[in-house]
Amino acid sequence: MKKKLTAVDFRGTPEQEAKLLAVIEKYRGVKGAMMPILQEAQEIYGYLPPEVQKIIAEKTGTPLEEIYGIATFYSQFKLNPSGEVAISICLGTACYVKGAAAVLEEVSKQLGVEVGGISPDGRYSLEATRCVGACGLAPVMVINNEVYGKMTADQVASVLAKYKA
Amino acid sequence: MDKVKVTINDREYEVPAGTTVLDAARLANIDIPTLCYLREINEIGACRICLVEVSEGGKPFRMVTSCVYPVSDGMVIKTDSPKIQKARKLNLELLLSNHNMDCLSCIRSTNCELQKLCRDYGVTSSYFVGERTKAAKDESSPSIVRDNTKCILCRRCVAACHKVQAVGVIGAINRGFDTEIGCAFESKLADTPCINCGQCTVVCPTGALHERDDTDKVFEALADPSKFVAIITAPSVRATLGECFGYEPGTDVEGKMVAALKRMGFNGVYNMNLTADLTIIEEAHELIERIKNGGKLPMITSCSPGWIKFCEHFFPEFTENLSTCKSPQQMFGAILKTYFAQKNGLDPKDIFVVSAIPCTAKKFEVGREGEAASGYPDVDVAITTRELGRMIERCGIDFKSLPDEPFDQPFGVATGAGEIFGATGGVMEAALRTAAESILGHPLEKVEFPDVRGTAGIKRATYRLGDLEIKVAVVSGTANAKKLLERVKNGEEDLTFIEVMACPGGCVNGGGQPYQPPVVRNNVDLRAKRAAVLYEVDSKNKLRRSHENPVCKMLYDEFFGEPGSHKAHEILHTFYVKRGLYK
């Protein structure tokens, strides 16, 4: 699934930036350090905003394109933060066969958020995940660690209603 | 060197140990087809077009990528077995399954490497039909067009951009079926620190990366009776234009080129070598002034617009080291729209200046601020050698049968010093000839400076001129420029004068130069062959010092006064800006 560029504004703090710079300093001179730098940057910020990628590019002398290439290649890296309401829908085999794609499409339609994206106000984020290990409940939707099993497209509206701001 | 015995297609050969199968086959007069391979630049075995069958130590045959697989003693190689042909054809069909087959209207039609392979392997139809990667055309840059619907992900452009030029604005982004060659955050090329050097366009095997075609603008001007349309040709174009018409690399076609341009209807066909001479006179003067008056040193040359943009993006602290001289292209346009316009009673708005150049970055340079001495842009359109070749073809001019004709006067006279501008080290040598004689006060016995010649990426030399010691360095390819400037920054180099050319080997290997198929590009030293033309012409010229150019003398007598005068500064000099990296 192609990653979506983030739609929310950067809200990084000076404390986060100080942590990031310390991480970069820790790996100075270490070959092949871009993966751990990006992983730790994601731990600090929760995702890899463009502003953070630019800091890493500048401080490590790496072309920004290369960093963006890595960030979009590995599924572990997120270009978008999780929303206040973080929705993930399992597209593992069992869920998929039981119609998870239709649920995903319905959520995306109702919230106006693309898969892998976030609403501009930062409220809703939507992700498609691999098997979450609850195949007996397929198709499964998880919102902020709350599990909704045996979902159908018809039930989407009533579930989402609980999370209205 | 150790030799090993190999059998290639049932014949035995002795080849140096450690050779790749691809090179071993070449020694046996066989060209194995390649797509992603670029000698010493991109050796990644990704496209799998160069597959061959090998058997080692009596084991069964297996398929390997010949571009990266080394030979071993007793190896048996099959380069054209039915199995190999089938595998290559299948790979081509898979490439076509995600390819925009707009061949008829593609700028690379007839010199596309993918098209040729499909023809060679009898790929007659699209075997795999299905979804294609969605890709938008990026036409934001004044120099380069990106069209990923024609990209085969060979990564030759990526290697050129990252490794050769140290610019690194394009690369593989996203993953799997969504993979494409793009910029960070999918931004447009114009919003990145792309330097417009065009090295990516020279190495692209298809039409995915190419120069912006400005030829229609030229034809339009030629058809406008109210315009005086002048064309100025850069030093290296005469050494490469012939390649568009089937001449061997390293053929001088100056006379035929001029004849063709006259037949196309240009009102004036002029030699840019003249303003190369003028650049040298101004630049040598500037260098001596800086040395005498404690100006910013090392001074760095400013004729390569790719290098200028590289400096502005990546080394803004060095912009004051750049010579303020405009490039020869811009000086020429400025003279045509000021001196020449006044002398001939022309309004500069009615003069249309076209430059024929080996360079895609010149397309950006014509639109820079501070490049409009008359109030109108010094140069209206810059067209590359490749575009010029296409224009001549479109006009139906039979290039090979043309007579040799001379440039129009008075702007057709140039010295050998102007000629060698097109090769790395040429500007330095030309400047040294003039600066040395100015400092010493007498003519040099020998005008050649062999230390700064040749295709090495970084060259250094020290010269004693009277009681003055001048330390110079010559670099080409911006990755080399980066290496050198970092050393200058760290105080590891003590230099007076640096020549930088953005493209490796200088303009003869510029981003707008003709395509050569892989067999030539990977096996012929194009830079040296093309540069040899310029040094040969220089050696035969009676005038070999820029300051001996009678037209330059006339320009100073009638117009500028003296080198570095107020008027010269207004018309022949420019300024630079410090640019950020990303918008």
Side-chain angles (χ1 to χ4, degrees):
Chain A
M1 188 73 66
K2 196 169 163 179
K3 293 190 186 180
K4 298 280 171 310
L5 293 173
T6 188
V8 293
D9 292 334
F10 181 53
R11 295 202 190 91
T13 62
E15 291 75 36
Q16 286 175 317
E17 186 166 338
K19 273 192 198 165
L20 175 66
L21 294 178
V23 167
I24 295 169
E25 217 35 62
K26 183 172 77 182
Y27 288 105
R28 190 161 299 283
V30 179
K31 270 202 164 182
M34 192 50 75
M35 285 298 283
I37 290 177
L38 292 181
Q39 284 161 345
E40 291 182 37
Q42 181 158 298
E43 272 170 37
I44 296 167
Y45 289 92
Y47 71 118
L48 292 175
E51 290 77 6
V52 168
Q53 294 183 49
K54 282 180 188 174
I55 294 171
I56 297 170
E58 194 197 318
K59 298 291 175 194
T60 61
T62 310
L64 185 58
E65 181 287 313
E66 209 171 304
I67 291 170
Y68 181 74
I70 297 169
T72 53
F73 182 84
Y74 292 100
S75 54
Q76 62 176 283
F77 294 123
K78 289 161 55 102
L79 296 190
N80 273 298
S82 294
E84 291 157 40
V85 181
I87 306 163
S88 55
I89 291 166
C90 177
L91 284 189
T93 311
C95 289
Y96 192 84
V97 171
K98 289 269 202 174
V103 178
L104 185 66
E105 202 187 310
E106 186 60 27
V107 174
S108 173
K109 208 172 85 186
Q110 292 203 10
L111 296 177
V113 176
E114 284 182 284
V115 181
I118 184 165
S119 58
D121 60 2
R123 173 108 185 126
Y124 299 101
S125 64
L126 177 59
E127 262 190 299
T129 66
R130 293 171 193 186
C131 183
V132 293
C135 305
L137 296 173
V140 171
M141 173 160 87
V142 183
I143 302 181
N144 292 351
N145 295 326
E146 190 85 22
V147 178
Y148 297 88
K150 306 205 168 168
M151 282 294 296
T152 63
D154 297 347
Q155 298 166 12
V156 166
S158 61
V159 174
L160 289 181
K162 298 184 196 168
Y163 296 92
K164 283 252 164 71
Chain B
M1 193 188 286
D2 286 348
K3 296 251 180 185
V4 294
K5 279 205 176 97
V6 295
T7 307
I8 305 176
N9 300 345
D10 299 329
R11 297 170 77 105
E12 280 196 14
Y13 300 91
E14 260 198 356
V15 299
T19 314
T20 61
V21 174
L22 179 74
D23 284 341
R26 170 112 194 109
L27 294 172
N29 309 93
I30 293 164
D31 289 318
I32 296 172
T34 56
L35 264 180
C36 69
Y37 177 79
L38 269 186
R39 187 180 295 283
E40 285 169 17
I41 297 173
N42 202 42
E43 300 180 347
I44 59 173
C47 75
R48 315 200 83 74
I49 290 300
C50 70
L51 286 174
V52 293
E53 282 191 89
V54 299
S55 163
E56 291 175 280
K59 287 185 195 153
F61 279 96
R62 61 201 186 91
M63 279 198 250
V64 299
T65 46
S66 62
C67 68
V68 289
Y69 201 83
V71 291
S72 61
D73 200 33
M75 182 186 268
V76 183
I77 303 163
K78 294 194 226 170
T79 71
D80 58 0
S81 64
K83 196 173 168 185
I84 284 300
Q85 292 193 29
K86 209 175 147 192
R88 288 182 190 156
K89 189 174 172 183
L90 182 70
N91 285 342
L92 288 166
E93 284 165 343
L94 285 165
L95 283 175
L96 289 192
S97 73
N98 199 21
H99 192 79
N100 167 0
M101 281 173 283
D102 252 353
C103 294
L104 283 179
S105 56
C106 181
I107 199 164
R108 289 297 298 272
S109 187
T110 72
N111 62 19
C112 168
E113 293 175 28
L114 181 64
Q115 191 184 48
K116 180 182 184 300
L117 283 170
C118 286
R119 191 172 61 224
D120 291 351
Y121 283 85
V123 177
T124 50
S125 65
S126 192
Y127 191 76
F128 302 101
V129 181
E131 195 187 341
R132 289 186 185 168
T133 310
K134 285 172 197 70
K137 214 168 169 178
D138 178 0
E139 298 185 273
S140 63
S141 159
S143 301
I144 294 162
V145 177
R146 291 174 54 231
D147 182 357
N148 276 351
T149 62
K150 293 171 182 169
C151 176
I152 57 167
L153 299 172
C154 70
R155 289 161 170 79
R156 280 160 51 165
C157 57
V158 179
C161 191
H162 286 250
K163 283 210 251 170
V164 180
Q165 297 299 69
V167 172
V169 292
I170 49 170
I173 57 172
N174 301 317
R175 178 176 178 146
F177 187 67
D178 294 314
T179 306
E180 58 174 320
I181 304 302
C183 308
F185 313 119
E186 308 195 359
S187 45
K188 300 273 186 202
L189 207 50
D191 297 332
T192 71
C194 169
I195 63 168
N196 304 311
C197 69
Q199 285 297 313
C200 56
T201 67
V202 190
V203 299
C204 181
T206 70
L209 276 158
H210 59 84
E211 69 280 7
R212 171 181 296 283
D213 186 305
D214 288 316
T215 56
D216 282 344
K217 293 180 197 161
V218 181
F219 281 120
E220 222 169 90
L222 284 169
D224 182 346
S226 70
K227 297 267 187 226
F228 179 93
V229 187
I231 187 160
I232 44 183
T233 65
S236 69
V237 176
R238 70 209 65 190
T240 55
L241 180 64
E243 294 171 33
C244 298
F245 301 97
Y247 286 88
E248 274 290 297
T251 308
D252 180 5
V253 294
E254 177 182 302
K256 289 186 196 305
M257 173 184 74
V258 174
L261 295 172
K262 288 184 174 176
R263 278 156 185 73
M264 286 161 73
F266 287 98
N267 302 100
V269 179
Y270 302 128
N271 191 352
M272 203 190 290
N273 297 12
L274 165 70
T275 41
D277 281 332
L278 193 65
T279 302
I280 286 302
I281 297 173
E282 285 292 319
E283 200 162 273
H285 176 82
E286 184 183 355
L287 177 66
I288 294 167
E289 287 292 307
R290 286 190 189 212
I291 294 173
K292 274 193 197 156
N293 304 328
K296 192 96 173 164
L297 291 174
M299 188 172 93
I300 313 178
T301 58
S302 59
C303 7
S304 166
W307 148 243
I308 293 296
K309 196 155 180 273
F310 184 86
C311 183
E312 291 174 329
H313 281 299
F314 298 95
F315 289 93
E317 63 272 37
F318 280 98
T319 46
E320 280 159 39
N321 296 67
L322 294 170
S323 161
T324 58
C325 289
K326 284 182 183 173
S327 71
Q329 163 182 291
Q330 297 302 117
M331 280 197 184
F332 214 124
I335 288 172
L336 286 172
K337 292 191 183 184
T338 56
Y339 167 82
F340 178 81
Q342 287 168 29
K343 204 168 171 178
N344 294 281
L346 290 167
D347 187 330
K349 82 167 169 31
D350 295 328
I351 299 178
F352 192 88
V353 181
V354 180
S355 69
I357 31 83
C359 179
T360 47
K362 292 273 177 202
K363 289 175 182 286
F364 172 81
E365 188 183 36
V366 299
R368 280 184 70 103
E369 264 188 84
E371 305 278 356
S374 64
Y376 298 94
D378 293 336
V379 174
D380 294 276
V381 173
I383 54 164
T384 59
T385 313
R386 297 195 289 265
E387 288 165 277
L388 181 58
R390 292 201 296 271
M391 287 182 75
I392 294 170
E393 275 189 16
R394 203 195 294 185
C395 290
I397 293 168
D398 179 7
F399 191 81
K400 281 194 161 172
S401 68
L402 286 172
D404 285 348
E405 289 180 11
F407 284 107
D408 287 324
Q409 296 306 345
F411 299 136
V413 182
T415 74
E419 189 80 37
I420 57 176
F421 253 62
T424 166
V427 177
M428 177 57 71
E429 182 166 342
L432 285 170
R433 289 178 189 176
T434 291
E437 295 198 354
S438 170
I439 291 166
L440 296 171
H442 62 77
L444 292 167
E445 274 173 42
K446 254 185 78 154
V447 295
E448 289 88 4
F449 290 79
D451 296 340
V452 296
R453 293 190 179 186
T455 55
I458 302 182
K459 295 169 273 187
R460 291 182 184 80
T462 303
Y463 298 103
R464 256 216 108 72
L465 306 169
D467 51 7
L468 195 67
E469 194 178 59
I470 293 191
K471 290 183 179 166
V472 304
V474 172
V475 293
S476 67
T478 40
N480 289 319
K482 183 180 172 188
K483 262 188 228 159
L484 186 81
L485 287 192
E486 260 156 20
R487 287 177 56 84
V488 173
K489 210 154 92 175
N490 297 336
E492 293 162 327
E493 298 269 353
D494 172 26
L495 294 165
T496 326
F497 189 27
I498 306 172
E499 176 203 296
V500 183
M501 291 293 152
C503 294
C507 310
V508 287
N509 189 39
Q513 293 286 33
Y515 298 113
Q516 284 294 345
V519 59
V520 177
R521 185 156 281 282
N522 288 324
N523 299 301
V524 174
D525 187 352
L526 284 173
R527 304 171 205 180
K529 269 200 141 173
R530 291 166 173 173
V533 173
L534 307 182
Y535 286 110
E536 170 76 10
V537 176
D538 166 44
S539 71
K540 287 188 179 148
N541 200 323
K542 282 195 193 103
L543 301 172
R544 303 197 59 191
R545 302 158 175 89
S546 294
H547 53 282
E548 293 173 338
N549 187 320
V551 182
C552 290
K553 284 182 190 164
M554 178 188 82
L555 286 169
Y556 282 110
D557 288 345
E558 291 185 16
F559 199 61
F560 293 116
E562 55 187 15
S565 70
H566 181 67
K567 196 163 190 175
H569 265 276
E570 275 184 345
I571 295 173
L572 304 177
H573 289 250
T574 186
F575 59 88
Y576 309 104
V577 290
K578 298 183 198 306
R579 297 174 198 272
L581 282 179
Y582 277 86
K583 276 187 188 157

